[in-house]
Amino acid sequence: MAPKISIRGTNQPASPMRRLEPLFLQAKEVRKRIYQLNIGQPDIETPEEYLKVIKNLQEKVIKYGPSAGLPEYRKTLANYYRSYGINVDWEDIVVTTGGSEGIIFVLTAICDPEDEVIIPEPFYANYNGFANMANVKLVPVTSKPENGYALPPIEEIEKKVNSKTKAIIICNPGNPTGYAYSEEEIENLKDLCRKHSLFLVSDEVYREFVYEGKHNSILEKEGFEEYGIITDSLSKRFSLCGARLGCVVSKNKDIISSITKMAQARLCPPTIEQLAAIEVHKLGKDYYSKIREEYKLRRDTVMKHIEEIDGAFCKIPNGAFYMLVKLPIKDCINFATYMLKDFELDNETVLVAPGNGFYATQGLGMDEIRIAYILNKNDLDRAMVILKEGLKAYRKERGL
Amino acid sequence: MAPKISIRGTNQPASPMRRLEPLFLQAKEVRKRIYQLNIGQPDIETPEEYLKVIKNLQEKVIKYGPSAGLPEYRKTLANYYRSYGINVDWEDIVVTTGGSEGIIFVLTAICDPEDEVIIPEPFYANYNGFANMANVKLVPVTSKPENGYALPPIEEIEKKVNSKTKAIIICNPGNPTGYAYSEEEIENLKDLCRKHSLFLVSDEVYREFVYEGKHNSILEKEGFEEYGIITDSLSKRFSLCGARLGCVVSKNKDIISSITKMAQARLCPPTIEQLAAIEVHKLGKDYYSKIREEYKLRRDTVMKHIEEIDGAFCKIPNGAFYMLVKLPIKDCINFATYMLKDFELDNETVLVAPGNGFYATQGLGMDEIRIAYILNKNDLDRAMVILKEGLKAYRKERGL
């Protein structure tokens, strides 16, 4: 008898962002163009400063680096955080292979199997995959489209706390919601964590993508040193998705010590990427401003089109480069599939991510889609026209 | 009250290869040179063909690649395996971020928390870290220095099988033993796995480093498709330790499907490294032969010195670039520390890895050290002279 894989191996969820990939590949064969609004792969060029280091590489041997990352790179990161008033030392930082590895390390360091973590939903769907691998239970608290997916009332969150609860995890600004938490929301979360001895894990990879007002990090103010853990990544900030560089930041020595040992087991993050990443951090805040303006333009472009759709709703998001849009439909998977298989405008169509994949509560999000506004203004204009026409045709066909 | 980290987070073991690092750094300040025989970082140059791709990079955006790896790279890997009679398709391969990630994925895919995996000891110490993270219990079966750490009698292994046992994991050729399993040993393991419905996981990163005779892979012969899983890495084969490229290979569809979903959660392995790795595989078997000759010379260099040490024992290892040496000492950590802190020959000394760190059974390996013969012949000659003199002085001082 053949051996069986594990229960968690069997239960490992597929990525909802990538679930339509087979249909997408088929459609690509026959369509002139498919505008991909389903994944967060920016079209912005990787900074020349990064590519220059790679191209001028002097090393003759691509060696192991230190498990926690090259000290010079960790020092660069500490300076970066301090420039935002996040007062950390380089020893408070462990470099990870992408933000993803950081989240796995953090879940493992704070939870034993069957422990629970509270998370506002809708949330970044891959947290489901990480939690399943680590046998951690994600407990959702639903945020609402009507108020732009703001933090649910703190009492609703507190109701979910029990003896198994180890942490609250947020993504700020949020993927897929685009919501940027206010200072008050962050302070409320901190108070709750202090009250119940919980870690607060904040995924802040979109820190620079806040369009009005400032980003509020959990580690900006003093007095939260034992509780706060930031996970981070260069992927979106510098268009470095394929470089696989992220980090975990915490003033809690036990967390950093434990994660450093996990990092030792897997030896090191990619070496030459770290050398290049040191350089790219010299670009400074002018670089972020320029990128931010570009994404703001893109956001406003998409919003303009959404406002023209009868029955569509999306409160204007203030961060990241995603928005969840409520549409006058009943089954977003069916609609996304229709757009790929059955609809075309001048032989072009659009790929969106079904909204339900970002909810843990069954049945929620069925009338929502996630749009990643990662194309330039012209392409977005065109993509949104196709989406509008497609929606019209879909509703007519389905009698909606 | 500050929140506490998890039990597994607390128990995460430090790497025994890196445990002497603080002392090493202190010694570096005062010594002219420290010959590092403690870690498997080869001094061999990364092939020019690899560096050329990196230096000529045309991409303007370092993008996400497919989660299971670039199809062209997976096809390159399939050809590589087929050239060794390992008959796999590219869809049987998932590219991982280093061999380490592959081992974590495999443990998670085959084991739920509290499940057990049988492993011959001494073994690659980082398996302890991976198993702890995944809440898997490693059950050691001791192999003996007298017969060069050959596979323990199959009955001894079978005695450890119970209802929690999911797999047997081997490293072939072995780190830290240098032992290359015979065809008969591999067949015996396969029979045992078939009999008890167990997976056989084989870490084959040192495939090309077998000095006499051929390497015996678990996937060479037919009829084991449902049972066999290979984990692999480019780190040693092409001196690419810092590139972080590995893979998992299996004909078992459930394994590959589950691991692909884990791979989706963490998005992708490093992109430009894969582009370069495609090229390096074109070097072919002449490249491996040259490297193998070099390491064989190094092995023989070290062996010659060991034979001259009274009371030292090591059966000549046939693979990888490690050897475990029994020395006339009682505490290898104390001896390794002595070499760093108290001994010098013309202001030079040697760093070795204490042997006990490679055993799961407490008390074993206290009179063993691991030597990684990753330096050139001249350096190894010098390092071994220092080691011999150091051992002499140590034994005299300790009254051994």
Side-chain angles (χ1 to χ4, degrees):
Chain A
M1 197 185 62
K4 283 202 175 51
I5 70 169
S6 63
I7 297 168
R8 60 182 166 188
T10 306
N11 291 346
Q12 184 69 15
S15 160
M17 284 82 85
R18 297 182 178 220
R19 71 178 297 161
L20 296 172
E21 199 163 280
L23 277 180
F24 166 70
L25 293 174
Q26 282 171 32
K28 241 172 90 168
E29 301 278 309
V30 293
R31 298 285 173 237
K32 194 170 69 186
R33 179 160 180 192
I34 301 173
Y35 295 86
Q36 271 193 271
L37 306 178
N38 64 319
I39 57 165
Q41 169 61 61
D43 64 343
I44 307 279
E45 287 185 6
T46 303
E48 193 46 52
E49 288 76 3
Y50 185 94
L51 299 172
K52 223 158 89 183
V53 177
I54 301 280
K55 288 175 183 170
N56 292 328
L57 194 70
Q58 297 302 308
E59 271 68 21
K60 299 240 177 259
V61 190
I62 311 283
K63 283 192 190 178
Y64 287 128
S67 298
L70 298 173
E72 198 190 339
Y73 177 48
R74 291 164 73 194
K75 285 170 190 171
T76 299
L77 286 171
N79 282 334
Y80 161 82
Y81 288 112
R82 283 198 290 263
S83 80
Y84 284 106
I86 299 169
N87 188 22
V88 291
D89 299 315
W90 70 280
E91 284 111 333
D92 302 325
I93 299 168
V94 177
V95 179
T96 56
T97 308
S100 304
E101 187 185 62
I103 297 166
I104 296 175
F105 282 176
V106 168
L107 285 179
T108 307
I110 63 183
C111 293
D112 287 303
E114 311 309 325
D115 282 346
E116 298 183 4
V117 171
I118 297 170
I119 185 165
E121 71 176 347
F123 58 81
Y124 177 53
N126 285 330
Y127 293 154
N128 282 320
F130 306 137
N132 180 66
M133 285 176 73
N135 285 78
V136 171
K137 189 177 164 195
L138 295 182
V139 178
V141 188
T142 309
S143 64
K144 298 286 167 54
E146 303 89 85
N147 50 11
Y149 308 96
L151 192 72
I154 206 81
E155 310 79 56
E156 293 298 313
I157 299 174
E158 189 164 20
K159 272 186 206 158
K160 306 284 184 181
V161 177
N162 64 42
S163 64
K164 293 253 171 224
T165 311
K166 292 297 154 74
I168 300 170
I169 185 164
I170 58 171
C171 181
N172 180 30
N175 172 8
T177 64
Y179 187 80
Y181 290 114
S182 70
E183 201 178 325
E184 194 191 344
E185 286 171 319
I186 296 293
E187 290 306 314
N188 287 342
L189 282 170
K190 286 169 151 188
D191 287 344
L192 189 65
C193 287
R194 282 193 199 94
K195 184 172 167 192
H196 293 284
S197 282
L198 305 177
F199 289 106
L200 180 57
V201 182
S202 185
D203 182 341
E204 302 188 354
V205 308
Y206 300 97
R207 181 177 296 105
E208 281 80 10
F209 301 82
V210 175
Y211 303 108
E212 278 101 32
K214 73 177 272 292
H215 177 256
N216 297 296
S217 172
I218 58 163
L219 287 187
E220 267 170 51
K221 298 185 182 167
E222 292 190 4
F224 200 62
E225 286 74 9
E226 303 296 312
Y227 300 83
I229 305 167
I230 291 175
T231 63
D232 213 333
S233 162
L234 298 197
S235 293
K236 318 292 166 149
R237 194 168 296 146
F238 296 114
S239 250
L240 282 172
C241 296
R244 315 313 297 135
L245 281 182
C247 65
V248 174
V249 187
S250 181
K251 301 290 291 178
N252 183 308
K253 304 284 178 213
D254 292 339
I255 289 290
I256 292 299
S257 157
S258 177
I259 285 177
T260 300
K261 286 182 277 184
M262 294 178 200
Q264 283 182 0
R266 65 74 165 118
L267 304 171
C268 70
T271 303
I272 59 178
E273 276 74 4
Q274 293 178 75
L275 294 172
I278 292 167
E279 288 309 305
V280 90
H281 275 88
K282 294 178 183 160
L283 289 168
K285 296 202 175 167
D286 284 355
Y287 174 79
Y288 306 132
S289 306
K290 225 182 74 207
I291 303 284
R292 186 161 42 233
E293 283 313 304
E294 172 64 22
Y295 277 105
K296 193 175 172 184
L297 173 71
R298 294 173 177 198
R299 176 196 68 171
D300 296 341
T301 302
V302 174
M303 278 307 298
K304 206 179 105 288
H305 289 280
I306 289 170
E307 282 159 9
E308 291 167 5
I309 302 175
D310 262 355
F313 177 78
C314 171
K315 203 172 164 210
I316 186 164
N318 192 30
F321 42 62
Y322 306 97
M323 53 179 80
L324 272 175
V325 185
K326 263 179 103 77
L327 292 181
I329 56 175
K330 288 183 175 139
D331 182 343
C332 54
I333 302 171
N334 187 265
F335 172 65
T337 305
Y338 170 87
M339 290 300 293
L340 277 182
K341 279 182 68 178
D342 306 316
F343 186 77
E344 48 90 18
L345 196 66
D346 295 332
N347 205 21
E348 296 185 331
T349 192
V350 167
L351 175 54
V352 297
N356 66 314
F358 301 97
Y359 288 85
T361 305
Q362 280 292 324
L364 290 184
M366 288 305 288
D367 59 350
E368 295 177 50
I369 59 166
R370 187 189 73 168
I371 291 174
Y373 43 96
I374 38 67
L375 303 177
N376 66 48
K377 183 180 183 314
N378 285 346
D379 284 347
L380 282 175
D381 271 324
R382 174 71 184 154
M384 291 306 292
V385 167
I386 296 170
L387 188 75
K388 277 189 280 191
E389 292 302 317
L391 179 66
K392 214 180 287 175
Y394 175 79
R395 295 193 68 217
K396 198 169 161 194
E397 251 189 52
R398 297 293 193 273
L400 293 171
Chain B
M1 196 185 64
K4 283 203 174 52
I5 70 169
S6 63
I7 297 167
R8 60 182 166 188
T10 307
N11 291 345
Q12 184 69 15
S15 160
M17 285 81 85
R18 296 182 179 221
R19 70 177 297 160
L20 295 172
E21 199 164 280
L23 276 181
F24 167 69
L25 294 174
Q26 282 171 35
K28 242 171 90 169
E29 301 278 309
V30 292
R31 297 287 173 237
K32 193 170 71 188
R33 178 158 182 195
I34 302 174
Y35 295 87
Q36 270 194 271
L37 305 179
N38 64 319
I39 56 167
Q41 169 62 60
D43 65 343
I44 306 280
E45 288 186 6
T46 303
E48 193 46 52
E49 288 75 4
Y50 185 94
L51 299 173
K52 225 158 88 183
V53 177
I54 301 281
K55 289 175 183 171
N56 292 329
L57 193 70
Q58 298 302 310
E59 271 68 20
K60 299 240 177 257
V61 190
I62 311 282
K63 284 192 190 176
Y64 287 129
S67 298
L70 298 174
E72 198 189 339
Y73 178 46
R74 292 164 74 195
K75 285 170 189 171
T76 299
L77 286 171
N79 282 334
Y80 161 81
Y81 288 111
R82 283 198 290 262
S83 80
Y84 284 106
I86 299 169
N87 188 23
V88 291
D89 299 314
W90 69 280
E91 284 111 333
D92 303 325
I93 300 168
V94 176
V95 179
T96 55
T97 308
S100 305
E101 187 185 62
I103 295 166
I104 296 175
F105 282 176
V106 169
L107 285 179
T108 307
I110 62 181
C111 293
D112 287 303
E114 313 309 325
D115 282 346
E116 298 183 3
V117 171
I118 297 170
I119 185 166
E121 70 176 348
F123 57 83
Y124 177 53
N126 285 328
Y127 292 154
N128 281 320
F130 306 137
N132 180 68
M133 287 175 72
N135 285 76
V136 171
K137 190 177 164 195
L138 294 182
V139 177
V141 187
T142 309
S143 63
K144 300 285 168 52
E146 303 87 86
N147 50 12
Y149 308 96
L151 192 72
I154 206 80
E155 311 80 56
E156 292 300 312
I157 300 175
E158 189 163 20
K159 273 186 204 158
K160 306 284 184 181
V161 176
N162 64 42
S163 64
K164 294 253 170 225
T165 311
K166 292 298 153 75
I168 300 169
I169 186 165
I170 57 171
C171 181
N172 181 30
N175 172 7
T177 64
Y179 187 80
Y181 290 115
S182 70
E183 201 178 325
E184 192 190 345
E185 286 171 319
I186 295 293
E187 290 305 314
N188 288 342
L189 281 169
K190 286 170 152 187
D191 288 342
L192 189 65
C193 287
R194 282 194 200 94
K195 181 172 168 191
H196 293 284
S197 283
L198 306 176
F199 289 105
L200 180 58
V201 182
S202 183
D203 182 342
E204 302 188 353
V205 308
Y206 300 97
R207 180 177 297 107
E208 281 79 10
F209 301 81
V210 174
Y211 303 108
E212 277 102 32
K214 74 177 272 293
H215 177 257
N216 297 297
S217 172
I218 58 163
L219 288 187
E220 265 169 53
K221 297 187 182 165
E222 291 189 6
F224 201 62
E225 286 74 10
E226 303 297 310
Y227 300 83
I229 305 168
I230 291 175
T231 63
D232 213 333
S233 161
L234 299 196
S235 293
K236 317 292 167 152
R237 194 168 297 148
F238 295 114
S239 248
L240 282 172
C241 295
R244 313 313 297 134
L245 282 182
C247 65
V248 174
V249 187
S250 181
K251 301 290 291 179
N252 182 308
K253 303 285 177 212
D254 292 339
I255 289 291
I256 292 299
S257 159
S258 177
I259 286 176
T260 300
K261 287 183 275 184
M262 295 179 198
Q264 283 182 359
R266 64 75 165 117
L267 303 171
C268 69
T271 303
I272 59 177
E273 275 76 2
Q274 292 178 75
L275 294 173
I278 291 168
E279 288 309 306
V280 90
H281 276 89
K282 294 178 183 160
L283 289 168
K285 297 201 172 166
D286 283 357
Y287 173 80
Y288 308 130
S289 306
K290 225 181 75 208
I291 303 285
R292 185 162 42 233
E293 283 313 305
E294 172 63 23
Y295 278 105
K296 193 174 172 185
L297 173 72
R298 293 172 177 197
R299 176 196 67 171
D300 295 340
T301 302
V302 175
M303 278 307 296
K304 205 179 103 295
H305 289 279
I306 289 170
E307 283 160 7
E308 292 167 4
I309 302 174
D310 262 353
F313 177 78
C314 171
K315 201 169 167 211
I316 186 163
N318 192 30
F321 41 63
Y322 306 97
M323 53 179 81
L324 273 175
V325 185
K326 263 179 105 77
L327 292 181
I329 57 175
K330 286 182 177 141
D331 181 343
C332 53
I333 302 171
N334 187 265
F335 172 65
T337 305
Y338 171 86
M339 290 301 294
L340 277 181
K341 280 182 69 178
D342 306 314
F343 187 78
E344 47 91 19
L345 196 67
D346 296 331
N347 205 22
E348 295 185 332
T349 191
V350 166
L351 174 54
V352 296
N356 65 315
F358 301 97
Y359 287 85
T361 306
Q362 281 292 323
L364 290 185
M366 289 305 288
D367 59 350
E368 294 176 50
I369 59 167
R370 188 190 72 169
I371 291 175
Y373 43 95
I374 38 65
L375 304 177
N376 66 47
K377 183 180 184 314
N378 284 347
D379 285 348
L380 282 175
D381 270 324
R382 173 72 184 153
M384 291 305 293
V385 167
I386 297 170
L387 188 76
K388 276 189 280 191
E389 292 303 316
L391 179 66
K392 214 179 286 175
Y394 174 80
R395 296 194 68 215
K396 198 169 163 194
E397 253 190 50
R398 296 294 192 274
L400 292 172

